[in-house]
Amino acid sequence: MPFQNAHAPWERHLGSIALLVCAISVLAIGWSYPAGSITQMGPGFFPRIIGFLLLGFGTLSLISEFKTTSEAPGRVHWRNIGFTAASVLAFAGLIDKGGLVPATFVAVMLSKFADRDARPLDAAIYTSLVCLGAWLLFIQILGLPLAAFGRG
């Protein structure tokens, strides 16, 4: 059944439009900073890259929405939204006091349980591997001033 909404059929395009608005905003703000070059990046280099990527994804998304007929939106998956939001909040709350590894562990474990089929042992193994990867990448390889455990 094609998308039917008597009130506002354009609502299915809101996500793409929001992405395009964000892209234009990022580009407008980033354009006021010097971009530099690829070897000497200025403060406006990365915002421009992100802005153009968002612009591309938003445009592709909008085009695909016009080319396809979709079903009416289904029910809202509150479990997914709740666990994902909780994982982001837990990471933000734990990173300073607990360190990178505990904050990552709690955040990833919470996000894994957004899936009803998640099994505790699989989630624990996956989460441990993500923590190891985060520690290797951010602390060992990139040398970011983050404490692995507790305050640095």
Side-chain angles (χ1 to χ4, degrees):
M1 167 183 247
F3 182 79
Q4 298 284 328
N5 188 344
H7 299 292
W10 54 269
E11 284 180 351
R12 72 180 205 184
H13 304 297
L14 284 178
S16 298
I17 293 169
L19 198 57
L20 291 171
V21 169
C22 287
I24 292 168
S25 300
V26 167
L27 284 170
I29 293 168
W31 218 264
S32 63
Y33 295 103
S37 66
I38 194 75
T39 57
Q40 296 266 324
M41 295 180 205
F45 189 86
F46 193 68
R48 290 181 191 184
I49 297 295
I50 295 298
F52 282 121
L53 285 172
L54 288 173
L55 191 64
F57 287 134
T59 303
L60 288 174
S61 176
L62 194 61
I63 290 169
S64 71
E65 288 170 359
F66 279 111
K67 287 187 174 185
T68 61
T69 58
S70 64
E71 298 293 323
R75 65 181 181 88
V76 176
H77 298 278
W78 292 109
R79 177 186 175 105
N80 299 1
I81 294 170
F83 274 108
T84 304
S87 72
V88 171
L89 292 173
F91 185 85
L94 289 172
I95 188 70
D96 287 334
K97 295 179 182 176
L100 178 67
V101 174
T104 302
F105 188 88
V106 171
V108 174
M109 188 62 93
L110 280 171
S111 68
K112 285 296 286 178
F113 287 109
D115 180 11
R116 290 189 189 279
D117 300 329
R119 297 186 314 201
L121 181 60
D122 293 344
I125 292 170
Y126 175 79
T127 301
S128 299
L129 291 173
V130 170
C131 288
L132 177 64
W135 174 77
L136 280 171
L137 176 64
F138 295 115
I139 295 177
Q140 298 302 326
I141 295 172
L142 295 176
L144 295 180
L146 296 171
F149 294 94
R151 293 179 186 230

